[in-house]
Amino acid sequence: DKPRHLSFQAVDAETGKGIQKAGIIVGSAKDQMQLEARPRTLDLQTNLQTDAQGRCDIGLPYPNPLMLMVGVSADGYEERTAYGEPAHPLPDGYVLKIPRGFSIGGVVRDESGQPVAGAAIQINFDGTSSGAANREFQRERFGLRNIAATTDTAGRWTFGNCSSNREFRIVVSHPDFPIAVFQEDGNTPMLPNPSTLKMDELRSGKALLVLKAGLTLRGEVTDEHGYRVAGARLAVPGVRGALTEPDGSFALPALPPEKSILTVTAVGF
């Protein structure tokens, strides 16, 4: 099969002018096996950029990918992604109209007020989850669903591509803390008793996001005869897993203070 090229252009939704130097992220999957692999192994292109007219020539690894996504990130504009699938293929020439956006930001600290460096900030827009997409195909969607920012040594972060007309939530993750979810006060609660932030503080870059300490679960894994099992894998949904030590012991840090399901797997069991 001949290589396929996609002639892509990102333009300002109001003026129609091309958006230059916009970052382009392309993800594609050849078949269902690749799409369903865990961890997911999409073919990614992350070093592309639009020219002075907002154009970008994209070479695709497969002529007819099962899934194709082209995301755009440009300062002052919303993050947008165009999707294609066999029933709704992305045309070889595609123009993505992107509305203006705005910046939000803040600082991440622990409960003692100390800044948390290296925390990953993810911005999830309402209606961009995979479940919503599966109910009805959406050609264009908000956000890129990747890490929007990482806090610096002072715990500060900035995201310059926020949408002005979509509800969103901010997901903060760090190896030393349970995952924390925040949303703007006044929006429809997406979780019971959510942590809320004021929009004016987000827009001024002064929002305070506090990460609460988690629990650490320690123990050991044995077989039915009481022999300790080395290399067993432990997993809790939403938490980084762990392997047992040679003596069968383990420690799972940063667990949320709530009921969770612990899954243990080991070769031979």
Side-chain angles (χ1 to χ4, degrees):
D1 293 329
K2 294 182 179 180
R4 179 184 170 192
H5 283 262
L6 175 64
S7 179
F8 185 84
Q9 185 181 25
V11 302
D12 186 297
E14 292 186 7
T15 66
K17 294 183 178 179
I19 303 173
Q20 62 178 331
K21 295 184 178 180
I24 303 295
I25 298 176
V26 182
S28 57
K30 182 178 182 180
D31 51 34
Q32 196 69 29
M33 182 178 299
Q34 183 181 3
L35 192 62
E36 295 179 352
R38 293 295 181 271
R40 182 171 287 183
T41 56
L42 296 180
D43 291 287
L44 293 176
Q45 300 179 61
T46 60
N47 59 346
L48 302 176
Q49 193 176 67
T50 59
D51 61 17
Q53 286 75 45
R55 300 183 183 278
C56 182
D57 182 58
I58 302 171
L60 302 179
Y62 320 111
N64 298 296
L66 179 66
M67 190 280 292
L68 174 63
M69 52 160 282
V70 182
V72 180
S73 180
D75 287 342
Y77 290 89
E78 296 179 1
E79 280 190 343
R80 286 290 184 98
T81 303
Y83 283 79
E85 58 181 32
H88 306 87
L90 202 61
D92 289 340
Y94 195 81
V95 178
L96 185 60
K97 299 178 180 180
I98 307 178
R100 287 280 181 174
F102 60 91
S103 294
I104 59 173
V107 60
V108 177
R109 294 177 180 167
D110 62 20
E111 292 176 287
S112 67
Q114 295 300 308
V116 178
I121 308 295
Q122 186 175 11
I123 312 296
N124 291 344
F125 292 94
D126 180 35
T128 61
S129 67
S130 58
N134 288 335
R135 286 193 296 270
E136 182 177 350
F137 177 76
Q138 297 171 285
R139 170 72 74 200
E140 298 179 5
R141 308 176 197 174
F142 294 85
L144 295 178
R145 298 191 61 77
N146 60 347
I147 303 303
T150 302
T151 57
D152 61 18
T153 55
R156 296 195 172 279
W157 62 275
T158 302
F159 175 63
N161 313 97
C162 198
S163 171
S164 59
N165 60 355
R166 302 289 291 190
E167 293 187 0
F168 62 89
R169 59 187 180 275
I170 301 171
V171 182
V172 185
S173 57
H174 188 279
D176 298 336
F177 300 88
I179 292 175
V181 181
F182 303 83
Q183 67 177 83
E184 179 198 356
D185 62 351
N187 283 352
T188 304
M190 301 177 184
L191 295 170
N193 302 314
S195 298
T196 58
L197 303 169
K198 295 184 180 299
M199 180 56 77
D200 58 345
E201 294 178 350
L202 282 168
R203 298 192 71 151
S204 65
K206 298 179 180 179
L208 175 60
L209 292 71
V210 177
L211 298 184
K212 297 181 180 180
L215 305 177
T216 297
L217 176 65
R218 292 183 173 88
E220 61 182 34
V221 176
T222 64
D223 63 14
E224 66 270 28
H225 303 294
Y227 293 105
R228 297 174 179 178
V229 180
R233 184 176 299 277
L234 299 98
V236 175
V239 178
R240 187 170 58 180
L243 295 176
T244 55
E245 301 292 339
D247 63 356
S249 64
F250 68 88
L252 272 174
L255 296 175
E258 58 192 36
K259 186 177 181 179
S260 299
I261 298 176
L262 171 64
T263 303
V264 183
T265 58
V267 177
F269 294 90

